[in-house]
Amino acid sequence: MDSSKSKRLETLEEYIIQSQNRFPGATGELSQLLRDISLAAKIISREVNKAGITNILGVDGSTNIHGEAVKKLDLFADQQLISALDRSLITCMVISEENDGIVKLSSQGGKYIVYLDPLDGSSNIDVNVSIGSIFSIYMREARFNGNLKEDDALQPGIKQVAAGYVLYGSSTILAYTTGLGVSVFTLDPSIGEFILSDRSIKMPDHGAIYSINEGSYNSWDLGLKKYIKYCQEQDPDTGRPYTARYIGSMVADIHRTLIKGGIFIYPHSSKYPNGKLRLMYECNPLSFIIEQAGGKATDGSKRIMEIEPDAIHQQTPVYIGSKDNVEKVTEFLETYKKIEQV
Ligand code: AHG
Ligand code: MN
Ligand code: MN
């Protein structure tokens, strides 16, 4: 927590306006977009909290483009976010996990493109475990004119103008960055406002927690197997053995990593040859947040945010978290790749 802050509470609305005032030429459109997302987040938060007592809980029956069962709340969150973005006419298109193609909004001339994972960790809905929403915002490039196309949205993560997530946990948290650090807000449900809880969060350079689905151990590369064994070995100097934590909602695992440090890994495997997690609406936005807080994110060799995307729903392996932990796993991957090649 920021100990220098005065007792007066600062709302997300106020914070966004103040941040915008620091940029003399700002049009206020990005600020409006962030406000739209925060409004949808409050509505989703309310539904998530009462999901257990309404029939919104459960499987909707359809499957998304990855062949996974879609829960009703996924669709509710998707609709809320898209309609909030549509209302203010500054976003021309949305790409969402829950929609196969691009979703063109009413304002085709809008200058922003927004990627969404409307509800992340949805397999955890039924068991009352934390879930979240993720967003990633790009400008539509001037070189693209005329009809909106998928190509307009295929930009590398370094071009994100803002990104963030909402975590529906024991409290609802909203974290976002515009490239000037990461600000974190907590929803006070009694007044329906997000209140600033950390102006510019910095994560530890090293953390003693590793987060990976170890059920897939047999299909990992040798370097990754050796790294996880290293995490489990005794070494008081480096705090090992590390603690294992895996929630199964990337947002929640990344939020913990942001606060406590450590590493989150979703590698490629025989089941997921290109990794499971989506580059554009999971890995890029969360990499932007983690980098802005002082951490690192790679696909095992390359920086996530420099990957040139070929498809809006493409997947990637991801190694993300504290700087030292990501560098250490990279050493293991490189060393054992060389050994396997001889
Ligand atoms: P989503 O609910 O948006 O499909 O995302 C689920 C993702 C991610 O949140 C989580 O880290 C990962 O799937 C868990 O996958 P495994 O169950 O394969 O570990
Ligand atoms: Mn997800
Ligand atoms: Mn999802």
Side-chain angles (χ1 to χ4, degrees), residues 74 97-98 117-122:
D74 292 39
E97 184 189 14
E98 303 307 334
D117 182 348
L119 218 49
D120 175 67
S122 46

Side-chain angles (χ1 to χ4, degrees), residues 54-98:
T54 65
N55 66 359
I56 207 157
L57 184 76
V59 180
D60 172 66
S62 53
T63 52
N64 69 16
I65 55 142
H66 310 287
E68 299 153 342
V70 174
K71 309 278 172 165
K72 286 181 183 174
L73 263 180
D74 292 39
L75 296 180
F76 178 84
D78 191 49
Q79 284 157 6
Q80 288 302 322
L81 284 159
I82 291 176
S83 63
L85 292 168
D86 200 25
R87 270 195 298 271
S88 53
L89 304 176
I90 47 188
T91 303
C92 60
M93 71 164 132
V94 167
I95 295 97
S96 155
E97 184 189 14
E98 303 307 334

